[in-house]
Amino acid sequence: MMNTSWKGCHLFPRNVWSIATHYSTTPEMPACEYQPKKYMGPGYERVWRIRSDHLFKNAPPYYKRPLLIHDGYMQWLFDHRGRRYLDMFGGIVTVSVGHCHPKVVEAAAEQMKSLWHTTNIYLHPKLYEYAEKLTSKLPRKLKVAYFVNSGSEANDVAMLLARLHTGSHDVISFCNAYHGMTLGAMGLTAMCTWKHAVPSALGVHHAMNPDVYRGVWGGARCRDSPVQTERECACAPGACEAGDQYYGQLEELFKYSLPRGRVAGLFAESIQGIGGTVQFPKGFLKKAYELVKSNGGVYIADEVQTGFGRTGEHFWGFEMHGVEPDIVTMAKGMGNGFPMAAVITTPEIASKAEQALHFSTFGGNPVASAVGLAVLQVIEEEETQQRSHEVGTHLLRRLADLRDRYQCVGDVRGKGLMAGVELVEDRRSRRPLPAKSFVDVWEDCKDMGLLLGRGGLSGNVFRIKPPMCVTKEDADFTVAVLETAFQKLTEKRERSLP
């Protein structure tokens, strides 16, 4: 019998089948008919020198020898040598319908032939076509849009609107949240890895994060997900004790840190993205919403990563929580990689911005509007939301199978094509897997042609958020590669035992 006594990433006794039957063999990548264009740019070493000499180094590239990507098609990326990779991170959850999707490319090219830019001091038709189409996807009261260029900028504007509308200054977000890196959005963000030592959080309060895996409370029936934690759960059907406990902590914040009966608003990601695909307990956000509203505030749903059908069952992540926001921010998948974002709210809240001029030079420009409209059309025509649900559920269940057999997989979570796999050193303590071991697995996946994101405060969570055109075959390949990498780590660490 296999030795399973060590505390690291060991393999549990195999009582279910495995794709990776021969771990020395790289899993076979699904077929792709697309032929990448020949790379004609500067050499790899020159690119690296240019980066070293002329670019900020605040965001280090992925991998020990970073990839030089020059071509993409749907769920595939190609490096300068022509090697193909399955992109299961979607350009940081940004490529929604596929790299260089033909319909989106055509829409951008056609618009660029006639009008690139005028700003909104003039009328141009694509902006209004797009605004009407986009707002039709939201609850009826949310029908006024302000277009900007990034999620950070959108959240900055949303915070301004909340304060102007309510006349209050205090804003709440959750620990482990990421809302952007403008000075205002950095104040909303609550992860030390994304904080500079400058004043940025004036009037922002960070509530306890209702994390049912790493938090104080949580159990095996607390998440709206096909996969639950392995923690014991005493919740009765239709109830969530963890949600009640975390809500109590939020009440404490209101009681001790805020002016009585006054708050500007609550920011919440429907599923925390950069924080490691963290989901709130069922029912928690609805109760939090009611508490905020009863104290005069508004609820701002950050849909930068969860919007546009990615979570599968719903077009917007907030719908899974049973609430209707007062303000919604969105970006990333909105433009399938084109830099665009928006704040959508009610006419009443939007009117408060009229107190002074406020203008985004490039927000809602003709090309962005044409791209956004094409993305919505593709989402509808190719039923990417349904694909997110079907392929995502299949993927999550297959990942849960790995968790059941490999001790290094502490948790699998998510909804639709927004999945997280948290690696740990020890299941019982939930200590994060050491960075070196995590990077070894990550590098092995890349070498086998699989690109994954990395997140969580300790950088120990694989973020799996691919273009929504991926197939079940792609999902199975992803699982096979991860299993091969986990097995390699297992054998390496077993050999290191005395």
Side-chain angles (χ1 to χ4, degrees):
M1 176 178 279
M2 181 178 294
N3 177 14
T4 60
S5 60
W6 68 287
K7 294 183 179 180
C9 177
H10 71 266
L11 179 68
F12 285 122
R14 300 176 64 85
N15 53 8
V16 292
W17 69 276
S18 161
I19 284 181
T21 55
H22 301 289
Y23 297 101
S24 60
T25 303
T26 299
E28 183 176 354
M29 187 178 289
C32 172
E33 295 181 357
Y34 178 78
Q35 293 298 315
K37 296 176 284 291
K38 184 178 179 181
Y39 179 66
M40 304 296 288
Y44 186 94
E45 300 305 327
R46 184 181 173 201
V47 168
W48 188 251
R49 285 197 303 272
I50 293 171
R51 183 190 185 281
S52 299
D53 293 343
H54 299 294
L55 296 178
F56 276 37
K57 299 176 182 62
N58 55 309
Y62 276 10
Y63 306 118
K64 295 174 183 177
R65 183 172 174 81
L67 299 176
L68 177 53
I69 298 295
H70 90 102
D71 199 0
Y73 179 73
M74 303 307 282
Q75 65 266 51
W76 305 105
L77 289 173
F78 301 85
D79 69 13
H80 66 296
R81 302 164 299 176
R83 185 177 179 193
R84 179 163 58 104
Y85 299 87
L86 176 61
D87 181 11
M88 291 298 283
F89 196 29
I92 313 184
V93 208
T94 302
V95 179
S96 50
V97 298
H99 291 282
C100 300
H101 189 289
K103 186 157 191 168
V104 181
V105 170
E106 181 183 7
E110 284 301 309
Q111 183 59 51
M112 291 177 77
K113 290 176 184 177
S114 58
L115 184 67
W116 284 30
H117 181 68
T118 64
T119 77
N120 297 331
I121 58 175
Y122 307 113
L123 306 184
H124 58 85
K126 281 296 180 208
L127 172 61
Y128 305 104
E129 291 178 49
Y130 181 51
E132 185 176 54
K133 180 74 171 178
L134 180 61
T135 55
S136 74
K137 299 288 186 182
L138 287 143
R140 183 173 297 180
K141 69 177 184 179
L142 299 170
K143 59 182 181 180
V144 184
Y146 184 79
F147 292 103
V148 290
N149 306 117
S150 73
S152 297
E153 189 181 357
N155 282 327
D156 233 15
V157 171
M159 182 158 54
L160 173 66
L161 287 174
R163 286 170 166 165
L164 289 174
H165 175 67
T166 62
S168 297
H169 186 67
D170 294 272
V171 174
I172 301 167
S173 68
F174 291 105
C175 293
N176 201 56
Y178 179 88
H179 294 288
M181 285 301 291
T182 60
L183 198 60
M186 184 167 49
L188 294 169
T189 294
M191 299 177 71
C192 65
T193 48
W194 295 90
K195 291 284 194 180
H196 289 287
V198 297
S200 65
L202 183 64
V204 177
H205 305 266
H206 296 129
M208 177 184 283
N209 195 38
D211 181 350
V212 301
Y213 175 67
R214 287 207 164 272
V216 182
W217 303 285
R221 291 190 292 275
C222 292
R223 289 195 298 229
D224 178 15
S225 172
V227 183
Q228 301 291 336
T229 72
E230 292 189 315
R231 298 175 75 173
E232 293 183 3
C233 190
C235 298
C240 182
E241 293 184 4
D244 293 341
Q245 296 281 7
Y246 288 117
Y247 176 76
Q249 291 298 305
L250 185 61
E251 284 186 313
E252 294 285 290
L253 187 148
F254 271 78
K255 186 183 298 183
Y256 293 108
S257 300
L258 300 176
R260 184 186 296 274
R262 297 198 64 176
V263 67
L266 169 70
F267 275 80
E269 301 163 88
S270 299
I271 297 175
Q272 291 179 334
I274 285 177
T277 319
V278 174
Q279 293 178 273
F280 300 149
K282 288 181 287 190
F284 168 81
L285 200 54
K286 188 171 186 178
K287 293 180 68 174
Y289 165 86
E290 292 167 352
L291 179 62
V292 169
K293 297 295 284 185
S294 68
N295 282 272
V298 297
Y299 163 50
I300 303 100
D302 183 333
E303 293 287 331
V304 170
Q305 295 192 28
T306 49
F308 298 91
R310 176 162 293 279
T311 60
E313 290 183 354
H314 305 286
F315 197 84
W316 304 106
F318 63 76
E319 293 176 282
M320 75 176 80
H321 297 287
V323 293
E324 282 196 7
D326 301 286
I327 303 172
V328 179
T329 60
M330 59 192 70
K332 289 189 179 287
M334 177 182 188
N336 197 47
F338 195 91
M340 55 188 303
V343 181
I344 299 184
T345 188
T346 66
E348 181 187 5
I349 294 174
S351 68
K352 301 302 192 298
E354 298 170 12
Q355 297 174 15
L357 293 175
H358 198 282
F359 186 68
S360 175
T361 301
F362 300 104
N365 74 72
V367 179
S369 300
V371 166
L373 192 59
V375 169
L376 289 179
Q377 290 169 346
V378 172
I379 288 172
E380 292 177 352
E381 293 168 1
E382 299 185 4
E383 299 181 331
T384 60
Q385 181 182 331
Q386 181 64 21
R387 183 184 290 259
S388 292
H389 174 59
E390 293 176 358
V391 177
T393 300
H394 172 77
L395 174 62
L396 283 162
R397 288 174 176 160
R398 293 296 320 281
L399 292 170
D401 175 59
L402 291 184
R403 181 202 59 193
D404 293 342
R405 290 184 286 109
Y406 289 89
Q407 174 111 348
C408 64
V409 184
D411 195 33
V412 172
R413 51 187 179 254
K415 196 82 184 265
L417 286 174
M418 189 163 184
V421 179
E422 181 156 354
L423 303 191
V424 294
E425 172 73 10
D426 176 72
R427 273 271 184 91
R428 183 168 298 176
S429 70
R430 301 191 287 279
R431 287 195 304 271
L433 190 70
K436 183 182 183 306
S437 295
F438 184 94
V439 168
D440 286 346
V441 175
W442 197 30
E443 292 278 348
D444 285 341
C445 290
K446 179 261 295 178
D447 291 342
M448 288 183 275
L450 176 67
L451 304 183
L452 301 169
R454 186 180 182 185
L457 187 62
S458 300
N460 66 317
V461 181
F462 283 126
R463 298 172 64 201
I464 305 177
K465 297 148 189 187
M468 295 185 289
C469 56
V470 292
T471 65
K472 287 185 178 179
E473 290 74 20
D474 298 328
D476 289 339
F477 173 73
T478 299
V479 174
V481 167
L482 282 167
E483 182 166 18
T484 303
F486 292 157
Q487 177 63 19
K488 183 177 178 180
L489 179 63
T490 296
E491 293 170 353
K492 181 190 298 184
R493 301 190 74 172
E494 285 185 338
R495 286 195 298 270
S496 69
L497 291 174

